[in-house]
Amino acid sequence: MGLRKTPGWSSIEANNKVDVFYTGNQSHLKCEEIYKELRNLNAKMKILGYVPDYSFVLQDVEEDEKEHILMSHSERLAIAFGIISTPPKTPIRILKNLRVGGDCHNATKYISNITEREIIVRDSNRFHHFKDGVCSCGDYWQT
C-alpha cells in the first residue's frame, strides 16, 4: 500500500554540538558508554518499582528482546548521552519528532528521580518537564 512509518528520532545539544539518535542506534561514537548507562539506569529503576510496559513494543519477539527494544528508544539514548556528557544535576533538553510513548514517559520520570536532574522533552505535542520523578503534564499524554 506504500505506507511507511516515520522513524523516531531524538536530538540533544551537548558541548556545543547537536547529536541525533534513532531508535536502536548503535553507530554513535559513545555507543558502548550510552548502553552501559542505560543498563545501569534500568537496574536502578527496577529496584524502585519500574516495570517495563511491553505493550509499547510492536514487534513479535521474546520478552528480553522487548526490554532491549524499549531501552533503545531514541529519547532514552539521548537522555543517557546527556547524562554521560554533561555535569551532574544539570538539566537535559531533548527534542523528539514523535510523541513520547507511555513506557518512555514512565521511565523518564524514574530517571529524573535517580539522576536528580530536570529532563525537558519537547515531543510533537507538548513540553514535558520531568523533575523528582514527576512530569509537568500530569501524565496528560495518557488521555
Side-chain angles (χ1 to χ4, degrees):
M1 292 175 37
L3 298 175
R4 282 190 234 176
K5 182 180 183 294
T6 302
W9 58 262
S10 297
S11 66
I12 179 172
E13 184 178 343
N15 304 315
N16 296 317
K17 182 177 178 252
V18 175
D19 285 87
V20 179
F21 295 89
Y22 291 88
T23 298
N25 185 305
Q26 296 192 2
S27 62
H28 195 276
L29 293 174
K30 292 191 174 187
C31 178
E32 286 183 37
E33 291 174 68
I34 291 167
Y35 279 96
K36 181 180 177 184
E37 181 66 23
L38 285 170
R39 287 188 298 274
N40 181 34
L41 287 168
N42 218 33
K44 289 178 179 178
M45 288 172 13
K46 284 183 173 181
I47 289 169
L48 294 175
Y50 166 75
V51 177
D53 186 346
Y54 298 137
S55 70
F56 290 94
V57 178
L58 304 179
Q59 296 93 329
D60 185 21
V61 294
E62 298 295 322
E63 295 225 343
D64 60 335
E65 183 62 19
K66 287 181 180 185
E67 187 165 349
H68 179 71
I69 290 168
L70 288 173
M71 192 172 72
S72 63
H73 278 181
S74 67
E75 57 265 56
R76 289 205 213 175
L77 296 172
I79 290 168
F81 176 73
I83 291 168
I84 65 174
S85 301
T86 60
K89 298 188 179 183
T90 58
I92 295 173
R93 293 174 180 83
I94 308 290
L95 177 63
K96 182 170 173 52
N97 71 324
L98 302 174
R99 194 170 167 194
V100 174
D103 186 73
C104 285
H105 190 274
N106 190 34
T108 305
K109 291 192 296 186
Y110 279 96
I111 294 168
S112 72
N113 194 35
I114 291 165
T115 62
E116 299 178 337
R117 290 184 185 241
E118 181 178 10
I119 302 171
I120 302 140
V121 179
R122 172 61 171 130
D123 72 8
S124 62
N125 288 354
R126 64 187 44 87
F127 280 94
H128 299 268
H129 294 258
F130 299 91
K131 188 173 182 181
D132 300 324
V134 177
C135 181
S136 62
C137 78
D139 297 337
Y140 176 79
W141 64 271
Q142 291 178 336
T143 60

